[in-house]
Amino acid sequence: MRFFVPAMLMLAAALVGCTPLQNPPSERTFPRSTISPEYVKTWEAANKIMQKHFMLRVADMQHGVIVAEPEVGANSLAKYRTRVEAQLVQTGPSLGDVEVRVMNEIEISEPRMSGPQPRNYWATVAFDKILEARLENEIKKERYGRTVWTLDYKYNKPGGTNAAPVKHSDLLKALPKSSAAPASSNPLSLARDATHLALIETRPSFGDRYTKMIARGDLAFRRNDFDAAVIEYGTAAEETPNEPAAHVALSHAWFAQARYDKSAHHLRKALALGTDWLKIKIDHAKLYGIPDALDRRVSTLRQHVEKYPDDMAARFVLGYILMCRGDREASIAEIEAVLKKNPGDAAARKLLDVLQRSA
């Protein structure tokens, strides 16, 4: 009879779909040859929260793995433990998110009648979803310095100053349910020139998924969560690489973070796909949730160019932004400076041609 209980426990674990401890802790490791500042911030937040609650067994920054030392418990039938693992996973260019697994495990090795006894064999039989969610939210709060889901989106529905903020559920309900092109639809119920969706309203059909990603990116952009915006726009760009709208949006999101190299990179990609999108009016100031946010960022970019005049990526972005703001002469001066340094810059040449034709 005493052999019956361990055997039944082992059978139950097998039916649940157990995972031995000897298996790799995660199939989605996050190796990095060059560790970005965003990765470091996410790692430090995860490490701090994990250390706050647990004694750590593994803290491998290179692969983004943190494993808590499990405390073993027991009753007369079995030994058991809870193992907690935090894993950084890649969610966008240079960005990382944290997934937490809380694994309830039992020791399922079976005694032998003779000879040496087996070593402990642990198997995962369930996940503690409540603790996983609590830890993930606490890590994100530490990472971003604010509580998740209590943000003022400042992305209001029409209706004046008492309008209610748009939530993700509202956004998804408002999106078209068919795969038809969003010819005249505006899922965010905003002025056409206040969203990157304006760039795709006259484009061929991409299906609802592409539209949703651009719309969610615009929501994140509006509440100044540019990391999230980059993720949404980046996924859209991967989904439909030959459509410039997502690359334009990515350029704007990186510009907002003063990452002029990345902003210029995606602006060049958009220009390589054509220049018709430049004819579509977008009020860049309206993309931000704060009225003077664009002015401050343009001022920061100007100061950067004055300090580093040989930063051609920054000058290229400045020329584009000045063009969007209607300062044609200043825009031409910046683009000509880029072409003087590099006459073979095809993207700068295209931008200059557009400026000259608009005279």
Side-chain angles (χ1 to χ4, degrees), residues 75-327:
N75 55 37
S76 60
L77 298 178
K79 286 193 297 187
Y80 53 84
R81 69 184 186 184
T82 297
R83 186 163 58 94
V84 183
E85 174 191 318
Q87 171 72 61
L88 269 67
V89 295
Q90 188 164 355
T91 55
S94 302
L95 299 177
D97 201 357
V98 178
E99 292 182 354
V100 176
R101 272 295 182 208
V102 180
M103 293 157 277
N104 294 325
E105 300 178 333
I106 61 171
E107 202 280 313
I108 61 171
S109 59
E110 187 175 357
R112 296 173 182 164
M113 296 297 294
S114 61
Q117 295 303 312
R119 301 188 62 175
N120 289 339
Y121 186 80
W122 296 93
T124 302
V125 295
F127 298 128
D128 187 334
K129 299 291 189 181
I130 294 175
L131 183 53
E132 287 178 0
R134 184 172 70 83
L135 288 168
E136 287 178 0
N137 287 332
E138 191 173 352
I139 289 170
K140 288 177 181 178
K141 182 178 179 181
E142 177 67 27
R143 165 67 174 88
Y144 297 107
R146 61 194 181 202
T147 303
V148 179
W149 293 117
T150 59
L151 305 176
D152 178 8
Y153 289 101
K154 296 179 181 176
Y155 215 133
N156 293 336
K157 299 176 181 176
T161 56
N162 296 322
V166 171
K167 295 196 169 57
H168 283 279
S169 57
D170 300 324
L171 171 63
L172 296 177
K173 287 176 185 176
L175 287 171
K177 297 183 187 298
S178 70
S179 60
S184 60
S185 64
N186 188 341
L188 301 179
S189 300
L190 292 175
R192 176 180 171 131
D193 65 347
T195 168
H196 292 101
L197 290 173
L199 296 174
I200 64 174
E201 282 189 348
T202 57
R203 298 292 181 178
S205 172
F206 304 111
D208 290 351
R209 178 171 165 77
Y210 185 84
T211 307
K212 286 178 183 178
M213 287 183 290
I214 297 293
R216 284 197 290 255
D218 283 349
L219 278 172
F221 197 106
R222 183 79 172 195
R223 64 176 187 263
N224 295 328
D225 188 354
F226 300 113
D227 285 350
V230 165
I231 292 170
E232 295 293 348
Y233 297 147
T235 306
E238 292 174 1
E239 185 96 349
T240 313
N242 293 325
E243 163 57 32
H247 291 294
V248 175
L250 276 167
S251 179
H252 295 165
W254 286 120
F255 158 69
Q257 300 180 79
R259 293 299 305 274
Y260 307 127
D261 55 337
K262 290 183 176 292
S263 178
H265 172 73
H266 286 285
L267 180 56
R268 292 178 189 282
K269 281 194 171 184
L271 288 167
L273 293 167
T275 58
D276 287 346
W277 57 269
L278 288 168
K279 302 173 185 176
I280 301 173
K281 179 176 174 52
I282 289 183
D283 189 335
H284 288 226
K286 291 182 182 178
L287 294 173
Y288 295 85
I290 302 172
D292 64 343
L294 178 60
D295 290 336
R296 288 189 278 107
R297 282 169 171 80
V298 173
S299 178
T300 299
L301 177 52
R302 285 183 183 276
Q303 293 172 15
H304 177 89
V305 169
E306 289 174 4
K307 187 175 181 180
Y308 304 102
D310 290 333
D311 186 344
M312 293 300 110
R315 299 198 79 150
F316 181 58
V317 173
L318 179 58
Y320 164 71
I321 294 295
L322 292 173
M323 181 188 73
C324 295
R325 306 195 81 190
D327 194 344

Side-chain angles (χ1 to χ4, degrees), residues 52-73:
K52 173 182 174 182
H53 297 292
F54 312 106
M55 182 172 71
L56 301 187
R57 171 189 284 184
V58 176
D60 183 352
M61 183 177 183
Q62 183 68 20
H63 294 88
V65 179
I66 304 172
V67 181
E69 179 69 33
E71 183 179 3
V72 178

